[in-house]
């Protein structure tokens, strides 16, 4: 991950003496620290730029629910029933296509420090779903590891899930911040996954993230340590050399990684709402990704036309399958007929996809 | 108006038409035939708004009426006279409320420019005039001001043809040459704001994708040839221009739809079966719908649909629907 500096820390005055706050502040050098009182809010930052808010950290308490279902997308596309833990909100990385720009707007990086509440809520939640194999992760509204150095959150989650064999926890990242994970005992239900794209895409669109080599090296180290791995080819991006570059990427991946240690691989093509398109055009004027031939999909988001998605997925899926024949592959927010064309079958519904996933994991992990 | 004023007839020679700081009117002088006709018949009815200044009067509102009166050789005009001591901000309020109709885009932009040049800060302008002008953020204020960078003819056109601000802003980032070319296209084909917005947005996106300028794209599409082609009516020309731009913006989508249309033509049914599909190619597969009035027709339709020839043709259509990219299109 590229150098990155937090410039300002806002601390909710209710947690001024919280030990985790002390830890976090001691690990941030040179940032301005400001106490915020409960009735004050962070709306004075609403006029700020993304560049400013991405360097501002807000430490506070979450008084609502931490655990939620992944919102997925509109009807017409299949979703996998993933669960998310929102312990952190927003991401210091700066990918041009990131949906959080639109979903959250220019918001500071928020870290909720009431991990005790999270723990008890999560225990209740998992207890209620004890018969199920759930996949749950922190990488939906944040990068799971980008801010790990501040509070050792990965250690917290790994230990929380260590006794929960039927519930699979996923750290999803574009960084190589694995120092904490390397010192954790890898449970059979902990997956560390990386979002992957060819080098030119990473260099042009995924600002501040770790390079492909760094990500693959980190994955290799954790594989050696005994962790399960996951990979997300999402968003797949169309550009002139995509075919060769994705092929090379997959070759590269499996030259580092033992496919038998990969628990899942997902595919999803670039998609974004109109509001995000405008943000990308304004914030990343050199990016060309929004100018390809795209239509408004059934969920209102811009997507590549289906024949192009089919062509891209087929090529990438084939390359993956040749090297990892047993890995569970799935599409994120894709339509049943695309599944059918690529994989030769389609789940009949999102619930069916979730069930297929559970069955696969039960067999694979022997739960 | 809430400021003290008096109505009186003011001799034209006492009006200083050179001081136009507060005038929003910048159009063609005496180009307003309706107003001229009316003034010829009945004189100037709507009083001007003037401010006393060193024994003369400067125009706050009514520059066009002043020029028409002068052309018609009138000796005096009715006018409300404002006191000399009114502040600039008060004068702006007078302009806002004395205006005989809602501000056009250009008038709003000019009004804001006057406020800015008087040293008012954006927040101040928004606080004082925002509610009346519908401007609630500095960004919106900036957007209006940016319209003043357009060529006068373009600004005048979008102001008088009902363009919304959002539509008008699509001309941003275009060179003067491109603006003129697109204005010519708009005027010749009488495009409305929405059409023009789509056309320009698509042209810009094509240009960015292909690494060219909008000017080069317009020329490469030979849009001028269509404008000058006498064989087509105006509505045919409009349709053609839109179609050419759409095809360039969505080449694969257009080509696949054309192929499907061609195949559909060759798919004849004796019974009323209709084949259709989502033109964006996003909904799953093809739709075959039929209309029957008698159960016996079902058998005939079933036989026809399952015949080898129809199955082959429909399969081919499905294949094109999902896999119809050319090698070049899929390779970037």
């Amino acid at each position: 991950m590229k150098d990155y500096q937090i410039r300002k820390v806002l601390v909710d005055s209710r947690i001024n003496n919280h030990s985790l706050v002390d830890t976090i502040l001691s690990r941030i050098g040179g940032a301005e620290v400001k106490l915020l009182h409960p009735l004050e809010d962070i709306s004075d930052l609403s006029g700020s730029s993304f560049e400013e808010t991405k360097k501002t950290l807000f430490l506070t308490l979450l008084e609502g629910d931490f655990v939620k279902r992944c919102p997925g997308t509109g009807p017409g596309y299949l979703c996998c029933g993933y669960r998310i833990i929102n312990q952190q909100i927003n991401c210091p990385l700066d990918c041009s296509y990131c949906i959080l720009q639109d979903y959250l707007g220019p918001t500071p990086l928020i870290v909720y420090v009431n991990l005790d509440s999270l723990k008890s809520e999560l225990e209740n939640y998992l207890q209620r779903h004890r018969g199920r194999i759930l996949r749950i992760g922190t990488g939906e509204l944040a990068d799971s590891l980008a801010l790990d150095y501040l509070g050792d959150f990965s250690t917290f989650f790994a230990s929380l899930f260590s006794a929960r064999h039927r519930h699979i926890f996923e750290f999803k990242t574009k960084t190589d911040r694995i120092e904490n994970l390397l010192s954790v005992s890898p449970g059979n239900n902990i997956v560390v996954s990386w979002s992957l794209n060819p080098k030119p895409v990473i260099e042009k669109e995924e600002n501040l993230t770790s390079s492909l080599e760094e990500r693959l090296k980190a994955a290799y180290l954790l594989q050696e340590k005994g962790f399960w791995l996951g990979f997300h080819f999402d968003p797949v991006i169309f550009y002139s050399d995509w075919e060769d570059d994705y092929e090379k990427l997959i070759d590269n991946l499996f030259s580092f990684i033992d496919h038998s240690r990969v628990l899942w691989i997902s595919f999803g093509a670039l998609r974004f709402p109109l509001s995000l398109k405008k943000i990308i055009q304004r914030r990343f004027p050199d990016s060309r990704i929004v100018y390809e031939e795209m239509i408004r999909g059934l969920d209102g988001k811009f997507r590549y036309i289906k024949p192009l998605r089919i062509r891209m997925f087929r090529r990438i899926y084939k390359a993956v399958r040749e090297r990892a024949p047993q890995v569970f592959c799935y599409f994120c927010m894709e339509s049943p007929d695309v599944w059918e064309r690529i994989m030769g079958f389609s789940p009949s519904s999102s619930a069916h996809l979730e069930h297929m996933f559970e069955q696969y994991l039960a067999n694979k992990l022997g739960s | 108006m809430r400021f003290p004023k008096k109505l009186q007839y003011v001799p034209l020679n006492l009006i200083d038409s050179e001081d136009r700081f507060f005038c929003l009117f910048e159009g063609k002088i005496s180009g307003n035939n309706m107003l001229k006709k009316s003034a010829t018949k009945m004189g100037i009815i709507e009083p001007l708004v003037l401010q006393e200044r060193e024994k003369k009067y400067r125009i706050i509102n009514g520059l066009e009426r002043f020029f028409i009166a002068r052309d018609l050789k009138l000796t005096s005009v009715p006018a409300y006279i404002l006191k000399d001591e009114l502040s600039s901000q008060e004068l702006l309020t007078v302009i806002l409320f004395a205006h005989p109709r809602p501000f056009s885009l250009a008038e709003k932009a000019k009004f804001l420019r006057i406020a800015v040049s008087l040293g008012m800060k954006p927040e101040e302008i928004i606080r004082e005039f925002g509610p009346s002008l519908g401007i609630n953020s500095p960004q919106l204020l900036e957007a209006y001001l940016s319209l003043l960078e357009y060529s006068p003819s373009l600004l005048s056109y979008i102001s008088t043809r009902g363009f919304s601000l959002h539509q008008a802003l699509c001309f941003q980032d275009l060179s003067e040459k491109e603006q003129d070319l697109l204005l010519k296209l708009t005027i010749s084909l009488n495009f409305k704001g929405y059409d023009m917005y789509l056309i320009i947005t698509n042209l810009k996106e094509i240009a960015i994708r292909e690494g060219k300028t909008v000017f080069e794209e317009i020329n490469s599409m030979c849009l001028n040839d269509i404008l000058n082609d006498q064989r087509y009516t105006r509505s045919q020309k409009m349709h053609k221009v839109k179609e050419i731009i759409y095809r360039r913006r969505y080449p694969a989508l257009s080509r696949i739809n054309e192929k499907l249309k061609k195949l559909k033509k060759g798919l004849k049914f004796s019974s009323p079966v209709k084949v259709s599909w989502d033109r964006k190619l996003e909904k799953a597969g093809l739709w075959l719908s039929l209309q029957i009035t008698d159960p016996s027709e079902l058998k005939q339709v079933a036989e026809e649909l399952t015949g080898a020839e129809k199955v082959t043709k429909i399969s081919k259509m499905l294949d094109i629907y999902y896999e119809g990219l050319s090698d070049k299109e899929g390779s970037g």
Side-chain angles (χ1 to χ4, degrees):
Chain A
M1 184 180 166
K2 308 281 183 304
D3 278 347
Y4 163 80
Q5 182 73 43
I6 288 172
R7 296 267 163 79
K8 192 174 184 182
V9 187
L10 306 171
V11 181
D12 185 329
S13 62
R14 292 171 298 173
I15 52 163
N16 194 19
N17 298 318
H18 197 289
S19 61
L20 185 52
V21 173
D22 291 341
T23 309
I24 292 172
L25 291 178
S26 71
R27 293 179 185 182
I28 299 172
E32 173 198 346
V33 179
K34 189 183 166 198
L35 268 192
L36 276 187
H37 293 281
L39 289 179
E40 258 182 289
D41 61 21
I42 52 171
S43 58
D44 62 325
L45 283 163
S46 59
S48 307
S49 65
F50 284 96
E51 289 69 23
E52 206 178 319
T53 51
K54 274 181 175 283
K55 288 178 178 165
T56 303
L57 179 67
F58 180 38
L59 304 175
T60 186
L61 302 170
L62 178 63
E63 292 176 298
D65 292 338
F66 282 94
V67 187
K68 295 196 167 129
R69 277 187 84 98
C70 172
T73 196
Y77 303 101
L78 296 170
C79 292
C80 71
Y82 194 65
R83 263 66 167 187
I84 54 179
I85 301 175
N86 295 329
Q87 185 258 327
Q88 294 171 33
I89 308 282
N90 211 355
C91 177
L93 311 177
D94 203 14
C95 300
S96 61
Y97 52 73
C98 179
I99 184 67
L100 297 182
Q101 299 173 94
D102 180 47
Y103 192 63
L104 303 172
T107 304
L109 309 168
I110 301 174
V111 173
Y112 297 113
V113 298
N114 48 332
L115 299 185
D116 289 345
S117 323
L118 192 165
K119 188 178 172 187
S120 65
E121 182 193 328
L122 193 61
E123 279 170 351
N124 282 333
Y125 189 89
L126 298 180
Q127 184 62 21
R128 284 204 307 277
H129 295 87
R130 59 189 174 279
R132 304 270 313 268
I133 296 183
L134 294 185
R135 287 160 297 114
I136 192 161
T138 46
E140 186 81 5
L141 295 187
D143 182 287
S144 297
L145 298 178
L147 297 180
D148 199 40
Y149 72 102
L150 291 177
D152 308 330
F153 307 111
S154 59
T155 319
F156 167 78
F157 284 111
S159 92
L160 200 59
F161 276 82
S162 61
R164 296 276 177 188
H165 301 300
R166 290 179 70 81
H167 298 135
I168 321 289
F169 185 85
E170 182 185 30
F171 293 103
K172 208 188 278 187
T173 188
K174 282 186 186 130
T175 75
D176 57 351
R177 290 210 152 137
I178 55 164
E179 298 82 359
N180 282 325
L181 286 174
L182 284 172
S183 61
V184 163
S185 160
N188 196 37
N189 59 337
I190 305 292
V191 185
V192 189
S193 71
W194 278 266
S195 173
L196 296 180
N197 252 316
K199 265 187 205 177
V201 176
I202 292 177
E203 283 164 11
K204 220 171 159 199
E205 311 293 342
E206 299 182 352
N207 303 300
L208 300 178
T209 62
S210 295
S211 68
L212 180 61
E213 288 77 12
E214 288 166 336
R215 292 183 213 181
L216 294 182
K217 190 180 166 196
Y220 171 78
L221 291 172
L222 289 181
Q223 170 196 269
E224 294 300 292
K225 174 88 183 161
F227 280 95
W228 285 110
L229 304 180
F231 295 99
H232 301 283
F233 292 92
D234 195 353
V236 168
I237 289 180
F238 176 77
Y239 63 103
S240 57
D241 298 322
W242 73 269
E243 281 183 287
D244 288 345
D245 286 355
Y246 276 98
E247 185 90 31
K248 270 187 231 160
L249 164 65
I250 292 160
D251 238 357
N252 204 354
L253 167 65
F254 289 106
S255 66
F256 271 91
I257 301 302
D258 172 4
H259 66 83
S260 69
R261 294 303 301 165
V262 179
L263 206 50
W264 57 63
I265 291 179
S266 78
F267 310 97
L270 178 66
R271 55 209 177 273
F272 49 84
L274 175 62
S275 40
L276 180 58
K277 179 177 177 178
K278 289 178 180 168
I279 295 173
I280 298 173
Q281 286 174 316
R282 181 167 52 79
R283 289 199 67 217
F284 302 97
D286 292 334
S287 174
R288 293 288 172 267
I289 58 173
V290 298
Y291 300 107
E292 291 306 332
E293 197 172 348
M294 294 173 130
I295 48 93
R296 299 288 284 271
L298 306 176
D299 53 1
K301 291 177 189 162
F302 285 93
R303 293 162 175 265
Y304 297 128
I305 58 170
K306 202 177 265 182
L308 182 57
R309 301 204 308 270
I310 289 174
R311 181 168 288 188
M312 294 177 79
F313 286 144
R314 181 174 288 138
R315 184 72 192 257
I316 295 168
Y317 176 71
K318 185 168 170 269
V320 166
R321 267 285 168 259
E322 281 167 4
R323 294 157 181 88
Q326 305 298 330
V327 176
F328 187 87
C329 290
Y330 66 102
F331 293 107
C332 183
M333 301 184 192
E334 200 39 271
S335 54
D337 51 343
V338 170
W339 275 77
E340 188 75 46
R341 287 260 153 185
I342 310 298
M343 299 205 187
F345 74 96
S346 163
S348 56
S349 63
S350 293
H352 184 203
L353 170 56
E354 197 177 346
H355 176 70
M356 280 167 50
F357 224 139
E358 274 191 58
Q359 279 201 316
Y360 160 77
L361 291 170
N363 291 333
K364 181 88 178 171
L365 303 178
S367 300
Chain B
M1 281 193 296
R2 61 188 191 216
F3 297 104
K5 62 187 187 293
K6 51 184 178 177
L7 181 62
Q8 64 184 63
Y9 272 83
V10 176
L12 280 191
N13 59 8
L14 289 182
I15 298 175
D16 176 8
S17 64
E18 293 307 307
D19 184 351
R20 298 179 193 175
F21 183 79
F22 284 100
C23 293
L24 302 181
F25 174 74
E26 278 178 20
K28 212 168 138 193
I29 290 168
S30 306
N32 189 337
N33 285 330
M34 291 271 282
L35 185 58
K36 202 168 182 177
K37 266 186 198 166
S38 143
T40 311
K41 232 178 183 177
M42 297 183 278
I44 300 293
I45 298 170
E46 178 76 30
L48 284 69
V49 181
L50 308 175
Q51 187 187 31
E52 280 182 48
R53 233 180 169 205
E54 293 160 9
K55 295 185 182 167
K56 290 200 92 173
Y57 296 92
R58 75 164 163 186
I59 302 173
I60 303 300
N61 183 290
L63 183 65
E64 190 179 20
R65 277 166 281 161
F66 168 81
F67 284 124
I68 286 174
R70 201 173 61 180
D71 279 1
L72 295 176
K73 302 202 174 1
L74 301 180
T75 52
S76 61
V77 285
Y80 289 117
I81 309 299
L82 300 168
K83 294 278 183 212
D84 195 11
E85 64 264 19
L86 285 183
S87 70
S88 299
Q89 202 164 313
E90 285 170 326
L91 284 177
L92 279 176
T93 309
V94 172
I95 294 174
L96 192 59
F97 291 105
H99 206 70
R101 58 181 185 284
F103 278 167
S104 69
L105 286 178
E107 285 164 342
K108 259 192 203 183
K110 285 170 192 164
F111 179 88
L112 293 169
R113 182 173 61 188
I114 295 170
V116 169
S117 62
L118 287 170
M120 288 181 77
K121 296 205 169 82
E123 310 78 58
E124 212 181 335
I125 298 173
I126 292 165
R127 193 180 58 240
E128 290 296 322
F129 306 115
S132 310
L133 296 173
I135 295 173
N136 56 12
S137 72
Q139 290 81 2
L140 200 51
L141 191 147
E142 276 301 314
Y144 274 107
L145 288 173
S146 72
L147 296 179
L148 296 170
E149 287 161 24
Y150 290 0
S151 65
S153 48
L154 176 59
L155 186 56
S156 156
Y157 189 83
I158 58 175
S159 289
T160 51
R161 298 304 165 106
F163 276 58
S164 68
L165 174 68
H166 179 63
Q167 290 162 352
L169 288 174
C170 70
F171 286 90
Q172 260 182 340
D173 310 323
L174 295 173
S175 69
E176 206 169 313
K177 200 163 61 169
E178 289 165 341
Q179 284 183 4
D180 288 346
L181 205 55
L182 286 163
L183 180 62
K184 186 180 156 199
L185 185 77
T186 313
I187 293 170
S188 318
L189 299 182
N190 199 18
F191 276 126
K192 299 284 178 278
Y194 178 70
D195 286 328
M196 221 42 224
Y197 174 79
L198 279 185
I199 285 173
I200 295 175
T201 306
N202 278 332
L203 279 171
K204 281 180 174 177
E205 294 190 352
I206 297 165
I208 292 173
R209 188 177 65 195
E210 296 180 359
K212 292 182 181 167
T213 64
V214 168
F215 187 75
E216 286 167 334
E217 290 297 349
I218 295 172
N219 282 339
S220 75
M221 291 177 200
C222 304
L223 298 185
N224 255 331
D225 295 350
I226 296 171
L227 287 189
N228 299 328
D229 197 325
Q230 302 297 322
R231 289 172 301 165
Y232 303 124
T233 63
R234 192 170 69 185
S235 97
Q236 284 172 323
K237 287 178 186 176
M238 276 170 88
H239 181 72
K240 279 199 171 294
V241 166
K242 283 186 192 173
E243 196 178 69
I244 287 171
I245 294 172
Y246 184 85
R247 276 190 195 163
R248 281 289 280 276
R249 181 67 187 90
Y250 303 100
L253 193 65
S254 309
R255 209 181 44 74
I256 291 172
N257 271 306
E258 272 160 32
K259 269 190 178 180
L260 287 169
K261 273 186 212 165
K262 208 170 161 190
L263 283 168
K264 185 185 163 182
K265 267 190 186 169
L267 197 61
K268 301 265 187 273
F269 289 95
S270 55
S271 45
V273 175
K274 275 186 190 164
V275 181
S276 59
W277 62 91
D278 174 16
R279 294 294 196 261
K280 292 193 289 183
L281 313 179
E282 191 55 18
K283 290 182 182 165
L286 305 173
W287 290 299
L288 277 83
S289 58
L290 58 104
Q291 182 192 22
I292 56 163
T293 49
D294 188 294
S296 64
E297 287 172 288
L298 275 175
K299 198 180 166 200
Q300 187 195 338
V301 172
E303 274 170 12
E304 237 185 313
L305 276 174
T306 51
E309 187 209 335
K310 295 284 189 292
V311 170
T312 310
K313 283 185 173 170
I314 291 172
S315 303
K316 185 156 188 206
M317 284 183 79
L318 271 174
D319 204 39
I320 286 169
Y321 187 82
Y322 285 114
E323 319 269 354
L325 287 185
S326 68
D327 288 344
K328 198 178 146 223
E329 282 159 346
S331 301

